Amino acid sequence: MTKTSTIALLLMSTSLLLPAAAPAAMQDQAAAAADAANPVVGGAEMLPTRTIVENASASSDHSTLVAAIKAAGLEQTLSGPGPFTVLAPSNEAFGRLAPGTMDALLKPENKETLVKVLTYHVIPGEFSFEQLMAKAHETGAAAQLTTVEGEPLTLSMEGEALKISDVNGNASYIAQPDVKQSNGVIHVVNGVLLPKLN
């Protein structure tokens, strides 16, 4: 078995063992965020004049994501003009993967797989939480958005929560919406989303 297929198996099997749960009072949090200034994320003020990479680097909750962005060589891209909508997994979200998975992904020989995983969390254009909710509601069932990686994410409602599902059926939820950036918007998510890796 190749290293890439081993990583794919780890990612596919363990994301189902520790599923992300819908955060409580998500609707109230999202409504408040729409009217408020940028929130504090990971103990740091998020400045709308900074890029996605600059703000993520300041957040103590996103050190794993930033390390992955650098290892994948995506720092310059995500510092570019965009605009991008980034579904940014927290350190806790990455922690739901199998032990050793992130260490393996950060190795140079696994860069291609890491790029696929990270770009699957990036949507071209800028979509607010309200716009994502509207897309999920407008079809009456589920709506799809194509990622930079090329495969879609599915938006649907789970009670009052917006559920984001990957092509493998794994779900993630927006824990902190509408963190404005100079080149787009970040929505902090509580699960890692995975494209097809084999």
Side-chain angles (χ1 to χ4, degrees):
M1 183 177 291
T2 66
K3 288 182 181 177
T4 301
S5 59
T6 301
I7 291 171
L9 282 174
L10 281 171
L11 287 167
M12 298 304 172
S13 62
T14 57
S15 58
L16 297 172
L17 295 176
L18 296 168
M26 185 179 294
Q27 290 292 90
D28 294 339
Q29 186 182 24
D35 296 325
N38 259 4
V40 170
V41 177
E45 185 179 355
M46 298 287 105
L47 301 178
T49 55
R50 291 181 180 165
T51 67
I52 289 163
V53 174
E54 288 171 330
N55 274 326
S57 296
S59 166
S60 62
D61 289 344
H62 291 88
S63 55
T64 303
L65 175 63
V66 172
I69 288 170
K70 290 178 179 178
L74 293 173
E75 202 170 358
Q76 185 173 355
T77 300
L78 292 176
S79 296
F84 304 108
T85 298
V86 176
L87 304 172
S90 62
N91 291 345
E92 185 179 347
F94 280 110
R96 290 192 177 96
L97 297 174
T101 300
M102 279 311 299
D103 290 338
L105 280 172
L106 292 172
K107 291 180 178 176
E109 61 266 29
N110 297 318
K111 181 177 177 180
E112 185 179 340
T113 302
L114 181 61
V115 168
K116 282 178 68 70
V117 171
L118 292 178
T119 55
Y120 192 57
H121 289 79
V122 182
I123 302 161
E126 187 171 341
F127 294 92
S128 68
F129 183 81
E130 187 177 343
Q131 288 171 316
L132 294 176
M133 290 280 285
K135 283 188 172 294
H137 278 293
E138 74 188 17
T139 61
Q144 289 194 330
L145 287 174
T146 302
T147 65
V148 169
E149 188 270 339
E151 294 178 85
L153 292 169
T154 301
L155 307 175
S156 59
M157 298 305 299
E158 188 174 280
E160 294 299 308
L162 175 66
K163 182 166 83 169
I164 304 167
S165 302
D166 64 24
V167 290
N168 305 292
N170 303 312
S172 181
Y173 301 86
I174 293 176
Q176 195 162 27
D178 295 329
V179 186
K180 297 175 180 66
Q181 319 289 308
S182 65
N183 59 343
V185 63
I186 283 177
H187 303 294
V188 178
V189 293
N190 66 354
V192 177
L193 298 157
L194 300 170
K196 294 290 184 189
L197 294 173
N198 50 9

